[in-house]
Amino acid sequence: MKINKDSKLNMVKYPPIFLLILICVLSCDLDETQEVVTLDNLVWADEFDTDGAPNPEHWNFEIGDGTKQGIPGWGNNELQYYTDRPQNVKVENGVLLITARQESFEGNNYTSARLTTQNLFEQKYGRYEARIKVPYGKGYWPAFWLLGNDCDVNPWPACGEIDIMEYLGDEPTSVFSTIHGPQYSGAESISKEFSLENGRFDTDFHVYGMEWSPNRINFYVDDVLYHSLTPEDVDEETNGTGNWIFNDRAFYIILNVAVGGNLPGNPNSETVFPQSMVVDYVRVYN
């Protein structure tokens, strides 16, 4: 139920008992859509306050290109070769820079970087958030996302994937969030877009958040809730064939910038290189 903030309730027309009922209804609606209570116990963070390579106690590098099959994002016909070179990933002036470049490297025409917290930090449930500014141009595909920690033995999509923020570089006013699992992965995943009415995601930082509990996942942009999913939603979207797999394993964090591939399409003559995804911080609460 939605009430226009500018509307005024006439106290004569609507007696106090009606107002009490109305307040109860509104409160119930809000509680139902925001099942996860505000989480403020910080359990892990990287503020990127030391220049140089990313903290090795926090981040791994995944190295290679799209020939490595079986891992999400590596079978999408992408064009980049992920490296651990400072040209592609470094901490500088209080931010993490993941930079995509157009260059010949290991048989590929583009380079970039993909960082994960696999085996370093993995958690089930909680609030995950990052403050990020993204690049602009056809072919860029930066993301902030989670992957189930058993993907090595329980291949995707059975291990599960939670995409907190994905962005296509030629659509600068929109981002989207997505979940993947058995019977709802790839093109059949469950996704929703968030668009800015004024502004662009490549010209300023925005905070992308996700709150995850046993039976609900909420997605936020700048603390605005725009996507809320439950086991019932998965059941409805898959006609009863999909399973809610987000309550039986921990997940780890991934930050990357892909170039080209099936989803974003390949860069064109107007795409400017190099450009970076700029990450101010990543924080996790429970």
Side-chain angles (χ1 to χ4, degrees):
M1 184 176 183
K2 185 176 181 180
I3 297 293
N4 188 318
K5 290 183 179 179
D6 296 328
S7 67
K8 296 182 180 180
L9 294 173
N10 186 308
M11 296 298 292
V12 176
K13 184 176 180 181
Y14 300 106
I17 186 65
F18 175 86
L19 296 179
L20 289 174
I21 294 172
L22 178 61
I23 291 169
C24 179
V25 170
L26 291 172
S27 299
C28 290
D29 283 348
L30 291 173
D31 290 341
E32 182 180 354
T33 59
Q34 300 193 51
E35 177 184 293
V36 180
V37 177
T38 300
L39 304 169
D40 56 8
N41 179 39
L42 184 67
V43 295
W44 185 93
D46 199 327
E47 304 293 333
F48 305 114
D49 51 8
T50 301
D51 284 2
N55 186 343
E57 295 182 0
H58 287 177
W59 303 102
N60 304 300
F61 296 102
E62 289 193 332
I63 308 297
D65 61 15
T67 61
K68 185 176 181 180
Q69 301 295 317
I71 297 179
W74 294 72
N76 183 51
N77 296 315
E78 295 166 12
L79 304 178
Q80 78 287 332
Y81 192 98
Y82 287 130
T83 86
D84 60 357
R85 305 178 307 158
Q87 295 97 317
N88 296 116
V89 56
K90 64 182 176 180
V91 177
E92 186 175 78
N93 298 323
V95 295
L96 172 70
L97 299 169
I98 299 179
T99 303
R101 296 179 175 274
Q102 186 174 20
E103 60 180 333
S104 179
F105 188 87
E106 297 291 339
N108 295 69
N109 293 322
Y110 301 89
T111 59
S112 187
R114 173 161 155 162
L115 280 64
T116 89
T117 66
Q118 187 176 21
N119 298 320
L120 298 173
F121 175 78
E122 300 170 348
Q123 178 173 290
K124 181 169 67 172
Y125 311 141
R127 176 177 174 86
Y128 298 71
E129 68 176 34
R131 186 170 182 262
I132 298 173
K133 184 167 67 172
V134 292
Y136 169 72
K138 181 70 174 177
Y140 281 111
W141 187 14
F144 166 43
W145 51 299
L146 309 181
L147 202 58
N149 68 351
D150 60 344
C151 270
D152 289 343
V153 296
N154 191 28
W156 185 90
C159 62
E161 177 180 335
I162 303 172
D163 301 320
I164 301 172
M165 184 280 293
E166 293 183 274
Y167 162 88
L168 305 182
D170 59 341
E171 299 178 14
T173 63
S174 298
V175 294
F176 53 101
S177 56
T178 309
I179 62 172
H180 302 255
Q183 308 303 319
Y184 53 101
S185 64
E188 303 301 321
S189 59
I190 303 173
S191 184
K192 188 170 183 179
E193 183 179 271
F194 177 91
S195 296
L196 293 174
E197 294 183 4
N198 298 292
R200 297 161 53 121
F201 287 105
D202 62 313
T203 57
D204 204 353
F205 285 92
H206 294 271
V207 177
Y208 304 97
M210 182 272 293
E211 291 181 344
W212 168 26
S213 67
N215 292 304
R216 187 177 296 273
I217 299 175
N218 287 338
F219 295 94
Y220 303 83
V221 173
D222 297 327
D223 289 327
V224 175
L225 173 64
Y226 74 98
H227 194 193
S228 187
L229 291 167
T230 67
E232 290 73 23
D233 295 313
V234 168
D235 189 63
E236 180 178 349
E237 290 284 342
T238 64
N239 294 317
T241 63
N243 296 319
W244 179 264
I245 54 170
F246 304 104
N247 55 11
D248 56 359
R249 74 206 70 200
F251 280 56
Y252 60 88
I253 301 168
I254 304 175
L255 293 168
N256 74 293
V257 178
V259 179
N262 298 338
L263 180 57
N266 294 341
N268 60 28
S269 60
E270 298 179 355
T271 307
V272 175
F273 289 92
Q275 288 190 67
S276 303
M277 176 168 76
V278 185
V279 185
D280 183 28
Y281 64 76
V282 181
R283 299 170 183 166
V284 184
Y285 303 81
N286 66 15

